[in-house]
Amino acid sequence: MAFTQRNLLGLEGLPAAEILHVLDTTKSFVEISERDIKKVPTLRGKTVINLFYEASTRTRTSFEIAAKRLSADTINISASTSSAQKGETLADTARNLEAMRPDAIIIRHPSSGAPHLLARAVSSPVINAGDGQHEHPTQALLDLFTIREKKGKNGSIAGLEVAIVGDILHSRVARSNLYGLIALGAKVRLVGPPTLLPQEFRSFGVELHHDLRKGIAGADVIMMLRIQRERQGLNFFPSLEEYSRLFGLDRAAMAAAKPDVVILHPGPMNRGIEISSEVADGPYSLILDQVTNGVAVRMALLYLLATRGRSELEREVEARAAS
Ligand code: NCD
């Protein structure tokens, strides 16, 4: 099975076989970052534009490093330095970027659906690096890759119990992970206060828990999420102290978890709120593995999307040479 998508806008509806193809391709890119000289010529002569309308450290850096390790030329545009400040619409920005013939555009935007609008306006592949509260597909793919590496059996995560804990309502990371985990056959429980975990989420066919300890008991993987204060217009809980007491993952709460559980967090972490330092830096934590794997996942995606003009055979030969 190949990756047939022109863009990566979300994981909703993406067939399991295509997700697995991305994860398998990622494997061949992991090793490049372990080398002394971390560069392969795969995207030489290609141009990758990073268009970021929202704050980001990890994701933007990760995409930039991924593109550079593939020898692409990268251009970073952030909202504060773009013509968005002068009132230009996203569609006009897109048409102007398109006129410069990029080979891939990566976009992060505070509005859900912005990457879809961009993809309709340009012919180059578009990768969604997070759109509002909607999706963050590359984060979910790196999470899936990390879970499969550490917990998968024969390359499969089917049947694994994954607890996603925190501000589910406002989290694009939770949404993309839900689609991806369910497509690959994992069993998902969502854990959080009722205000941040509305009953509608039952429609995904997952368990909902409003008690942290019950929610994480028996889980193979716990994914902690940040409280998205910047997206919350209202008060969704009385105080951060109370949230932390009820839903923060600290050593005491970990007593309810399986002894071989692994902990994920997409970052940025709010230490002492959703996760204690002891847990974040402890032996179960895969938080920095996620960051390392993020580069490889994004290399794989750039490779799959920006070389689509080439034949499968050419791409296979290149992938083998790169690995
Ligand atoms: C997430 C994001 O921006 O959606 N962070 C990330 O990309 N690693 C999660 C968050 O902001 O809490």
Side-chain angles (χ1 to χ4, degrees):
M1 177 81 188
F3 190 68
T4 64
Q5 311 297 310
R6 244 175 51 82
N7 306 297
L8 181 73
L9 302 178
L11 293 196
E12 183 176 7
L14 197 64
E18 300 221 9
I19 296 177
L20 290 170
H21 187 72
V22 176
L23 302 188
D24 291 341
T25 309
T26 298
K27 259 187 132 140
S28 51
F29 286 101
V30 168
E31 179 266 333
I32 295 168
S33 298
E34 310 293 335
R35 295 182 192 171
D36 191 26
I37 296 169
K38 303 173 180 57
K39 215 175 180 73
V40 290
T42 316
L43 294 188
R44 193 163 50 198
K46 302 260 180 192
T47 308
V48 174
I49 296 181
N50 257 327
L51 187 55
F52 274 63
Y53 288 91
E54 205 186 74
S56 170
T57 335
R58 250 164 309 270
T59 307
R60 197 189 59 70
T61 314
S62 182
F63 269 112
E64 189 175 356
I65 290 178
K68 288 199 151 89
R69 289 190 181 160
L70 295 172
S71 303
D73 296 310
T74 58
I75 285 94
N76 292 315
I77 306 172
S78 65
S80 55
T81 56
S82 80
S83 291
Q85 293 289 332
K86 300 180 185 170
E88 186 173 66
T89 65
L90 179 61
D92 277 329
T93 303
R95 285 186 202 105
N96 280 276
L97 293 176
E98 174 76 352
M100 301 180 211
R101 306 279 177 265
D103 297 286
I105 303 178
I106 295 145
I107 179 171
R108 166 168 287 195
H109 201 283
S111 305
S112 301
H116 307 68
L117 188 145
L118 183 69
R120 281 195 294 274
V122 301
S123 61
S124 31
V126 172
I127 302 179
N128 179 1
D131 63 325
Q133 300 177 20
H134 179 226
E135 280 222 41
H136 192 351
T138 61
Q139 178 68 46
L141 287 167
L142 74 88
D143 293 339
L144 294 171
F145 183 84
T146 307
I147 294 170
R148 189 170 79 154
E149 287 291 292
K150 299 286 177 179
K151 285 280 169 187
K153 295 201 177 67
N154 305 320
S156 167
I157 64 162
L160 283 182
E161 295 269 359
V162 182
I164 308 180
V165 184
D167 186 354
I168 312 289
L169 180 63
H170 299 98
S171 174
R172 54 196 177 201
V173 175
R175 243 170 228 93
S176 288
N177 264 295
L178 265 170
Y179 293 123
L181 287 164
I182 292 169
L184 299 190
K187 293 192 199 131
V188 183
R189 315 104 175 253
L190 301 176
V191 187
T195 46
L196 297 175
L197 178 52
Q199 292 296 315
E200 288 91 279
F201 278 90
R202 280 199 201 285
S203 63
F204 282 94
V206 299
E207 273 178 39
L208 307 192
H209 289 272
H210 303 304
D211 178 287
L212 176 66
R213 285 160 208 249
K214 285 191 189 134
I216 63 174
D220 301 293
V221 178
I222 304 175
M223 183 182 296
M224 298 306 295
L225 300 174
R226 183 175 66 90
I227 291 292
Q228 309 257 321
R229 268 177 286 184
E230 73 280 18
R231 298 193 202 289
Q232 299 180 0
L234 301 162
N235 284 328
F236 283 85
F237 44 82
S239 73
L240 273 181
E241 289 69 25
E242 184 181 281
Y243 178 83
S244 177
R245 192 159 40 75
L246 294 174
F247 291 98
L249 192 64
D250 57 11
R251 192 156 63 138
M254 282 293 289
K258 265 183 155 175
D260 62 344
V261 70
V262 293
I263 313 284
L264 276 71
H265 192 308
M269 279 188 281
N270 288 149
R271 286 174 184 264
I273 299 177
E274 76 271 11
I275 192 162
S276 72
S277 282
E278 206 178 3
V279 175
D281 306 328
Y284 322 98
S285 170
L286 299 181
I287 296 172
L288 294 177
D289 299 79
Q290 289 172 270
V291 179
T292 303
N293 292 335
V295 174
V297 163
R298 291 173 177 122
M299 286 171 83
L301 283 165
L302 283 169
Y303 162 71
L304 289 169
L305 289 168
T307 61
R308 278 187 55 84
R310 299 182 215 171
S311 72
E312 257 324 292
L313 184 66
E314 279 174 302
R315 285 166 41 167
E316 241 182 78
V317 170
E318 279 172 356
R320 244 180 273 134
S323 66

Short mmCIF file of all heavy atoms in Angstrom, two decimals, residues 58-59 108 136 139 172-173 226 228 266-268, ligand 1:
data_model
loop_
_atom_site.label_atom_id
_atom_site.label_comp_id
_atom_site.label_asym_id
_atom_site.label_seq_id
_atom_site.Cartn_x
_atom_site.Cartn_y
_atom_site.Cartn_z
N ARG A 58 8.43 23.52 19.29
CA ARG A 58 8.69 22.16 18.84
C ARG A 58 8.31 21.92 17.39
O ARG A 58 9.13 21.47 16.60
CB ARG A 58 7.85 21.18 19.65
CG ARG A 58 8.55 20.30 20.61
CD ARG A 58 7.49 19.75 21.56
NE ARG A 58 6.72 20.87 22.06
CZ ARG A 58 7.06 21.52 23.16
NH1 ARG A 58 8.06 21.14 23.87
NH2 ARG A 58 6.36 22.57 23.55
N THR A 59 7.07 22.18 17.06
CA THR A 59 6.57 21.76 15.75
C THR A 59 7.29 22.50 14.63
O THR A 59 7.71 21.89 13.64
CB THR A 59 5.04 21.98 15.68
OG1 THR A 59 4.45 21.32 16.80
CG2 THR A 59 4.47 21.40 14.41
N ARG A 108 0.46 26.26 10.27
CA ARG A 108 -0.20 26.23 11.57
C ARG A 108 -1.04 27.50 11.65
O ARG A 108 -0.56 28.59 11.32
CB ARG A 108 0.80 26.21 12.71
CG ARG A 108 0.10 26.52 14.03
CD ARG A 108 0.94 26.24 15.22
NE ARG A 108 1.08 24.81 15.43
CZ ARG A 108 1.53 24.28 16.57
NH1 ARG A 108 1.87 25.07 17.57
NH2 ARG A 108 1.64 22.98 16.71
N HIS A 136 -4.17 17.96 14.49
CA HIS A 136 -2.72 18.14 14.51
C HIS A 136 -2.14 16.79 14.08
O HIS A 136 -1.58 16.04 14.90
CB HIS A 136 -2.29 18.52 15.93
CG HIS A 136 -0.88 19.01 16.06
ND1 HIS A 136 0.05 18.95 15.03
CD2 HIS A 136 -0.22 19.59 17.10
CE1 HIS A 136 1.20 19.45 15.45
NE2 HIS A 136 1.06 19.85 16.70
N GLN A 139 1.47 15.46 14.87
CA GLN A 139 1.67 15.12 16.30
C GLN A 139 1.12 13.72 16.56
O GLN A 139 1.77 12.90 17.21
CB GLN A 139 0.98 16.16 17.19
CG GLN A 139 1.08 15.85 18.68
CD GLN A 139 2.50 15.97 19.22
OE1 GLN A 139 3.20 16.95 18.92
NE2 GLN A 139 2.94 14.99 19.98
N ARG A 172 -6.58 19.70 19.68
CA ARG A 172 -6.45 19.13 18.33
C ARG A 172 -5.58 17.87 18.38
O ARG A 172 -5.71 16.99 17.54
CB ARG A 172 -5.85 20.18 17.39
CG ARG A 172 -4.53 20.77 17.90
CD ARG A 172 -4.22 22.05 17.14
NE ARG A 172 -3.01 22.68 17.62
CZ ARG A 172 -2.72 23.96 17.44
NH1 ARG A 172 -3.57 24.74 16.79
NH2 ARG A 172 -1.60 24.47 17.86
N VAL A 173 -4.70 17.80 19.39
CA VAL A 173 -3.86 16.60 19.54
C VAL A 173 -4.76 15.40 19.89
O VAL A 173 -4.61 14.31 19.34
CB VAL A 173 -2.79 16.82 20.62
CG1 VAL A 173 -2.00 15.55 20.86
CG2 VAL A 173 -1.86 17.96 20.24
N ARG A 226 -2.16 19.40 27.91
CA ARG A 226 -2.11 20.70 28.59
C ARG A 226 -3.51 21.31 28.64
O ARG A 226 -4.32 21.08 27.75
CB ARG A 226 -1.19 21.61 27.76
CG ARG A 226 -0.91 22.96 28.28
CD ARG A 226 0.11 23.62 27.34
NE ARG A 226 -0.44 23.85 26.01
CZ ARG A 226 -1.08 24.96 25.64
NH1 ARG A 226 -1.25 25.95 26.48
NH2 ARG A 226 -1.54 25.09 24.41
N GLN A 228 -5.64 24.12 27.77
CA GLN A 228 -5.46 25.12 26.71
C GLN A 228 -6.10 26.44 27.15
O GLN A 228 -7.14 26.83 26.62
CB GLN A 228 -6.09 24.62 25.42
CG GLN A 228 -5.64 23.23 25.03
CD GLN A 228 -4.63 23.24 23.91
OE1 GLN A 228 -4.73 24.01 22.98
NE2 GLN A 228 -3.64 22.37 24.01
N PRO A 266 2.41 15.91 24.47
CA PRO A 266 2.89 16.56 23.24
C PRO A 266 3.73 17.80 23.50
O PRO A 266 4.39 18.30 22.58
CB PRO A 266 1.59 16.94 22.52
CG PRO A 266 0.58 17.11 23.63
CD PRO A 266 0.97 16.09 24.67
N GLY A 267 3.70 18.33 24.74
CA GLY A 267 4.34 19.60 25.03
C GLY A 267 3.52 20.72 24.41
O GLY A 267 2.72 20.47 23.52
N PRO A 268 3.67 21.93 24.88
CA PRO A 268 4.44 22.33 26.03
C PRO A 268 3.79 21.86 27.34
O PRO A 268 2.57 21.91 27.46
CB PRO A 268 4.45 23.86 25.94
CG PRO A 268 3.27 24.23 25.11
CD PRO A 268 2.98 23.08 24.24
C1 NCD B 1 0.33 21.11 20.89
C2 NCD B 1 -0.33 22.08 19.96
O1 NCD B 1 0.20 23.15 19.66
O2 NCD B 1 -1.39 21.73 19.50
N1 NCD B 1 1.70 21.23 20.98
C3 NCD B 1 2.51 20.72 20.01
O3 NCD B 1 2.33 20.94 18.84
N2 NCD B 1 3.51 19.92 20.40
C4 NCD B 1 -0.35 20.97 22.18
C5 NCD B 1 -0.55 22.17 23.03
O4 NCD B 1 -0.41 23.31 22.62
O5 NCD B 1 -0.90 21.95 24.19
#
